Amino acid sequence: MDDPALLPAWKKALWYLVLGALSLLVLFPVWMALVRALSTPASYVRDGQPIHPVDVQWDIFGRAWTEGDLTRKVLLSLAVTVIVVVAQLITSVLAAYAFSFLEFRGRTACFAVFMGTMLLPLEVTLIPNVQTIRDLHWLNSIQGLAAPFLATAFGAFLIRQGFMGIPRDLRDAAQLDGFGHLAFLRRVAIPVTRPVIASFAVISFLSAWNQYLWPRAVVTEGRWATLQIGLKDLAAAKVEQSNIGVAAALLAAVPVLALLIFLQRHLIRGLTAGAVKG
Amino acid sequence: MRGRRSWKDTALGLAFLAPSAAVFVAFFFLPLYRLIRLGLFQQNRYGTKETWVGFSQYTDTLTGQEFLDGVRISATYVLYTVPLGLVLGVLLAVAANRRLRGMKVFQTIFASTVASSVAVASVVFFVLINPQVGYFSDVRFLSLAHPDSALRGVALSSVWQNLGLTFIIVLAALQAVPEEINEAATLDGYGPVRRFFRVTLPLISPSLLFLVVVLVIFGFQAFAQIDILTGGGPAGATETLVYKIFDSRDPYRQGTGSVMAIGLFALTTVVTALQFRLLNRRVHYGN
């Protein structure tokens, strides 16, 4: 890239102008959502929907929280998400360990079968999976919402990549020290690959929190609506209450926005992991 | 010694794989079997009785209007979302790939749409394009109220929502381009535009291929945005394949729905394989 010291001032100004314009473009929908959430709906429409808020109601986020029954929705989403993330971490780490440090007949075949599940998205198997949940009487339940996501081939693959990077010497040394597999896993393999595992945890959180199709299919009572599918009903309300739905949607993005800001490195590593060749 | 070791390794290996395998059997492989089987039977209204109809339900459904409409709408959706999303994402990444003070702020803004789920993006865009009081409700080109334009309106929300992911991946690829290569190209008299198309673009092509594949799959799986913004309407104009499958989960429709799901599976697999074949020839993998 161009050395910033060599860049003339006018060129720098031009780039800031371009970057500023692009930022406005990306942020425009969010700004308009914020304006809509904060404005009193009737006055906003009366004034011809300007790009600034009208008759600001600062308490809208609090009202969206109570009127949208967000405590229950957030707790439900959080419970499902935590169960899914923890389960995926355990199942993926164990599977990854088997695929990288344990030698047994049929390992390659097992690996191929595991990876094959990545070709089969939930959209395809939706109908029989909903039937399974129905047969188990798990519609409208936490276990029904979480069950299909307790393991993921992507996690096993990603963490295996991390494990494969552990130098042979380290393994041999651990073996000489009398480490069995469980001790090696706990005291060496997991600590050494912590960045990879953390990246996977972030991605796992992101996809569990944002889940939509599955909850829509296995939730039939409003009481069991997760945050994401609850947004649909809130947003579909009458115009006079449109600010509530929009405010709830903005609130739903906050946890992930926090991830983006505080765990940016891990999030980016996780998102780009699939893009590296191999 | 060796024999005992590998026996222990086998037992431990199987024990470690068992939890994942149980989930995969219950929610991937058994359902796949049941999916194929459901397509061979016709269910009665309550799903209490089924009649063997063999492959006739496959041929009827896969050549029927409903499935073909779904394929057409899903494919159109992919065409609306992928090229535009990719170009915009590359644009943002190229703009943000330079050393300027405060660049972290711009990069965070450009990446920020990954914080939005499809549902959140849909509600945000509902503010902009909903037919009654949307800010752009007068813009006919994106109107959700008309069958010929509704899909474009929905697509726009996906383009915006995917920008963050596209930006992050392209920027990572751009940052991995060695500085010397750009310097060498400059010394060879390449201007910035030619340098981008002849040097940079080929070097980041593996990431672009990955993005095309992922975005196409996202496009074929689009559901939440349709569910929230249009509910499949107006007049079924935005009923993508996944939307139709979702709509068929009631017991008496399971047969047709299952065949459509297999159709979706075949379609995405073939399209993905084709992309790898066609695009891979143009992709440049380093070393």
Side-chain angles (χ1 to χ4, degrees):
Chain A
M1 266 305 96
D2 308 313
D3 192 328
L6 297 176
L7 222 54
W10 68 270
K11 251 191 172 172
K12 270 193 209 171
L14 201 66
W15 274 117
Y16 279 121
L17 211 64
V18 170
L19 289 161
L22 289 172
S23 302
L24 286 182
L25 207 66
V26 171
L27 292 178
F28 178 72
V30 183
W31 170 251
M32 291 308 288
L34 206 58
V35 165
R36 173 78 58 151
L38 289 172
S39 302
T40 308
S43 334
Y44 185 68
V45 172
R46 182 200 62 215
D47 283 10
Q49 312 190 43
I51 57 167
H52 55 80
V54 182
D55 284 348
V56 176
Q57 304 178 320
W58 291 111
D59 63 338
I60 187 63
F61 290 101
R63 271 177 49 215
W65 191 275
T66 39
E67 288 180 36
D69 195 11
L70 293 195
T71 308
R72 189 185 162 89
K73 293 188 175 79
V74 167
L75 286 179
L76 179 62
S77 285
L78 210 57
V80 174
T81 303
V82 168
I83 291 172
V84 167
V85 173
V86 171
Q88 285 192 353
L89 281 174
I90 296 172
T91 54
S92 301
V93 164
L94 290 180
Y97 191 85
F99 287 134
S100 17
F101 294 118
L102 296 167
E103 268 163 50
F104 54 92
R105 199 191 284 238
R107 193 176 80 165
T108 322
C110 281
F111 186 66
V113 170
F114 268 46
M115 294 306 119
T117 61
M118 283 207 269
L119 297 175
L120 198 65
L122 187 77
E123 284 75 7
V124 169
T125 49
L126 183 76
I127 291 174
N129 273 331
V130 172
Q131 208 180 46
T132 306
I133 297 296
R134 205 185 290 130
D135 292 347
L136 290 167
H137 301 289
W138 281 2
L139 291 177
N140 306 308
S141 73
I142 289 187
Q143 62 271 33
L145 284 165
F149 311 104
L150 299 180
T152 156
F154 176 66
F157 175 77
L158 205 64
I159 296 172
R160 174 180 167 270
Q161 297 286 92
F163 283 168
M164 303 288 253
I166 295 177
R168 251 217 104 79
D169 298 350
L170 203 57
R171 261 189 79 195
D172 294 343
Q175 225 153 28
L176 282 179
D177 283 349
F179 277 38
H181 279 299
L182 287 177
F184 180 69
L185 171 63
R186 246 199 8 245
R187 303 238 288 260
V188 182
I190 291 178
V192 167
T193 39
R194 224 177 28 213
V196 178
I197 296 174
S199 301
F200 169 65
V202 172
I203 294 301
S204 167
F205 179 93
L206 194 68
S207 62
W209 182 260
N210 289 344
Q211 205 61 256
Y212 190 91
L213 176 66
W214 181 251
R216 264 291 266 140
V218 296
V219 168
T220 57
E221 294 167 15
R223 245 162 46 82
W224 286 97
T226 57
L227 185 56
Q228 301 292 332
I229 65 170
L231 292 180
K232 177 187 155 77
D233 296 323
L234 292 175
K238 291 188 289 287
V239 175
E240 306 87 72
Q241 291 190 323
S242 56
N243 50 346
I244 302 266
V246 180
L250 292 174
L251 286 174
V254 169
V256 193
L257 202 60
L259 274 191
L260 177 72
I261 291 168
F262 298 112
L263 296 172
Q264 195 169 52
R265 217 158 33 90
H266 289 303
L267 180 70
I268 288 175
R269 197 194 331 227
L271 289 175
T272 48
V276 267
K277 63 183 157 164
Chain B
M1 179 68 192
R2 168 118 189 96
R4 202 174 59 108
R5 239 203 126 66
S6 90
W7 177 84
K8 266 175 99 176
D9 272 16
T10 307
L12 198 60
L14 293 180
F16 278 10
L17 294 183
S20 298
V23 175
F24 293 155
V25 168
F27 294 101
F28 287 83
F29 297 117
L30 269 181
L32 183 62
Y33 162 75
R34 288 170 77 184
L35 190 71
I36 296 168
R37 197 180 160 282
L38 273 170
L40 298 170
F41 290 87
Q42 205 143 50
Q43 281 73 27
N44 73 356
R45 273 192 73 131
Y46 312 102
T48 47
K49 216 177 140 226
E50 45 183 26
T51 334
W52 166 269
V53 289
F55 283 98
S56 70
Q57 187 161 238
Y58 276 80
T59 45
D60 288 353
T61 305
L62 294 178
T63 56
Q65 199 57 48
E66 190 183 14
F67 178 73
L68 295 177
D69 276 345
V71 171
R72 180 177 49 80
I73 292 168
S74 287
T76 313
Y77 191 74
V78 167
L79 287 179
Y80 284 159
T81 50
V82 180
L84 180 62
L86 202 62
V87 169
L88 288 178
V90 170
L91 198 76
L92 292 181
V94 168
N97 184 33
R98 58 201 68 249
R99 290 201 208 104
L100 284 176
R101 197 187 286 260
M103 190 50 92
K104 265 267 158 297
V105 176
F106 292 112
Q107 290 178 348
T108 305
I109 290 174
F110 294 167
S112 67
T113 74
V114 290
S116 147
S117 66
V118 188
V120 170
S122 305
V123 176
V124 165
F125 267 74
F126 202 54
V127 168
L128 294 175
I129 58 176
N130 95 61
Q132 281 94 46
V133 289
Y135 187 72
F136 291 128
S137 56
D138 294 338
V139 179
R140 180 66 179 78
F141 187 74
L142 298 170
S143 172
L144 294 181
H146 296 87
D148 61 330
S149 57
L151 200 61
R152 279 197 291 262
V154 179
L156 195 65
S157 78
S158 295
V159 168
W160 179 77
Q161 197 238 334
N162 289 333
L163 270 185
L165 177 72
T166 314
F167 167 76
I168 287 172
I169 288 174
V170 178
L171 183 66
L174 285 174
Q175 286 173 341
V177 173
E179 205 135 325
E180 306 86 68
I181 294 190
N182 273 321
E183 280 164 15
T186 314
L187 286 178
D188 280 351
Y190 278 44
V193 174
R194 203 157 75 132
R195 202 172 62 199
F196 176 74
F197 282 102
R198 294 288 187 77
V199 180
T200 313
L201 214 52
L203 283 173
I204 64 169
S205 55
S207 294
L208 295 182
L209 169 65
F210 167 79
L211 272 172
V212 171
V213 171
V214 167
L215 292 178
V216 167
I217 291 175
F218 281 0
F220 273 116
Q221 293 176 348
F223 175 75
Q225 51 275 62
I226 315 260
D227 191 39
I228 291 175
L229 286 170
T230 64
T238 54
E239 279 187 14
T240 54
L241 216 41
V242 174
Y243 193 85
K244 286 181 192 293
I245 293 168
F246 174 80
D247 244 4
S248 316
R249 71 200 184 290
D250 290 330
Y252 72 100
R253 291 256 300 146
Q254 282 182 351
T256 355
S258 298
V259 177
M260 288 199 286
I262 291 169
L264 171 72
F265 183 41
L267 193 70
T268 42
T269 309
V270 168
V271 169
T272 307
L274 272 180
Q275 283 170 343
F276 272 113
R277 268 190 77 96
L278 291 177
L279 295 175
N280 235 339
R281 268 188 245 146
R282 296 166 160 243
V283 166
H284 171 93
Y285 289 101
N287 50 66

